[in-house]
Structures are given as structure tokens and as C-alpha cells.
Amino acid sequence: MARNYRHTLFNDAVKVLQERHGSRAAYLKMDAGADGTPDTLTDKELGYIALRDSFYMASVNADGWPYMQHRGGPAGFLRHIEGNRIGFADYRGNKQYISTANLAGNDRVSLFLMDYPNKDRLKLVGNAHSIELADDPALVTSLMSEGYRAVPERAFLIDVIGWEWNCSQHITPRFTEAEISAAIQPMAAEINQLRAENAALRTQLSGE
């Protein structure tokens, strides 16, 4: 059971509000025994991560400002490395380097992974660091998606300490072009078959 996500984020101020609004007792029961031991990523979480083609990563700068960045790529570009460590290749972009600089001063990150069609979301928190291509080219290239046309600069490695599945309420289903295409393929095939049958009937009737 995952407990460390809440153990990490439920500080005293959070607990005061939970007590005030009536949810503290339930969470206290759910998280009995939490001692800071990281939540182990199970096959369910790893399988979900392997299917994602997008996620959001938050970091914090030296002035305390949070920064959220979208990361995308072929499905599975965020990879399980070992144990509770996941990682991804960082490609050349607009050269702002905000996340990279933030992690140099504060290695805490939060990841938000969405599955819009199935209305699922997984939240992760962990400690992250980056490794430049020049320092470990084998590692960085091992995290690259085959055939993906982008120039790698570094890798981000994240040691997950907590995770939580969030409720599906208020998630609006959204579908990618590939998902829509797969969904309508049977209907498109039926329409093509009907068109062919109609064409055959017209030819038959015109010949009578």
C-alpha cells in the first residue's frame, strides 16, 4: 500500500486543515505505520508509466517559485530503470534550462501523468538529478526512443519516493488522433463495404 506520498506532503499545516474539515481521522487510519519508507512502484504503476506519451514535471527555483514543464515523446519515453528509479532523455529545445537549473539547487520534483481516455491520473514525487550527454553518453542514449528525431543533451533520473492514484472526478476524456482512428476503424470499414455494395447495386440496376 502506498503511504509515503501522503506522509511526505501532509505537513502540519495540511493536517490542521484536514482536522478542521473532517478528513484527518480517515487519512490517519489509512496511513497508519507510514515511516518515510518510499512507496514501491508496482507492476500497475510501471505499466501505466510505460504507456504514457506525455507528462508534467514540477520543480522549484532558488526563489521558491514553482515551475511546471510539459514533457512529451513516443509512448514509453519515460522509462523504468531499476527499483524505484525512472528516467528520460532530455532533448534540445528552447534552451531555457529552467528545470535543469532548479534541480541543481533543489532536487525535489513532482510528476503528473494523465490517461485522458480512461480518466486515470498518477501523481509521483521524488528526487531528481540530470546527467549531461558528455558525462555519460551510454546512459543518455539508452533512454532515447528508437527512431525519434531529436538531439539529446542530457538525461533526467528520478528516484520516486511516493505515488498516489487520484480520483477520476472532473477529468474530461480526450483522445489522440491515433486513438480516434482506432475507434472509428470498424465503422469506416463498414461504410466502405456499404459503398461498395451500393455501387454494385447501381451497376446492376443500370444494366437492367
Side-chain angles (χ1 to χ4, degrees):
M1 181 183 294
R3 296 187 180 95
N4 197 49
Y5 184 92
R6 294 184 296 271
H7 178 77
T8 301
L9 297 180
F10 288 1
N11 61 19
D12 290 341
V14 172
K15 293 175 183 177
V16 167
L17 288 176
Q18 291 174 349
E19 189 70 41
R20 182 183 304 168
H21 294 286
S23 62
R24 183 69 204 131
Y27 282 121
L28 187 62
K29 184 177 180 180
M30 289 171 57
D31 298 337
D35 59 3
T37 301
D39 297 327
T40 301
L41 292 170
T42 71
D43 289 341
K44 179 181 179 180
E45 289 75 49
L46 294 176
Y48 182 86
I49 291 170
L51 293 175
R52 304 279 67 80
D53 60 5
S54 174
F55 68 90
Y56 300 91
M57 184 174 77
S59 57
V60 180
N61 72 12
D63 299 314
W65 284 103
Y67 175 71
M68 180 75 76
Q69 186 174 47
H70 171 262
R71 295 286 178 164
F77 78 99
L78 178 60
R79 300 187 182 183
H80 178 226
I81 298 174
E82 61 180 358
N84 254 32
R85 175 169 287 188
I86 57 178
F88 62 96
D90 182 42
Y91 297 105
R92 182 175 300 165
N94 56 16
K95 298 186 178 182
Q96 290 187 345
Y97 304 113
I98 300 175
S99 295
T100 306
N102 287 353
L103 294 180
N106 185 336
D107 69 354
R108 296 181 181 91
V109 293
S110 180
L111 274 63
F112 204 98
L113 287 70
M114 295 291 300
D115 177 355
Y116 287 103
N118 295 304
K119 299 177 66 174
D120 284 331
R121 54 185 168 188
L122 176 65
K123 298 185 293 187
L124 307 169
V125 290
N127 304 104
H129 66 280
S130 64
I131 297 178
E132 296 297 313
L133 176 65
D135 295 329
D136 196 338
L139 172 64
V140 176
T141 55
S142 72
L143 293 174
M144 293 176 60
S145 299
E146 185 175 355
Y148 191 54
R149 297 181 63 182
V151 180
E153 289 190 332
R154 67 190 54 80
F156 282 102
L157 304 181
I158 303 162
D159 293 310
V160 176
I161 65 167
W163 55 262
E164 182 174 66
W165 291 95
N166 221 196
C167 92
S168 61
Q169 190 177 17
H170 306 305
I171 298 177
T172 301
R174 293 181 173 87
F175 302 88
T176 65
E177 182 179 356
E179 289 164 342
I180 294 172
S181 179
I184 67 174
Q185 187 174 2
M187 181 175 62
E190 183 178 359
I191 291 173
N192 289 333
Q193 181 180 351
L194 290 172
R195 285 174 174 170
E197 291 174 356
N198 284 339
L201 285 171
R202 290 193 192 97
T203 301
Q204 181 180 350
L205 291 173
S206 64
E208 291 181 356

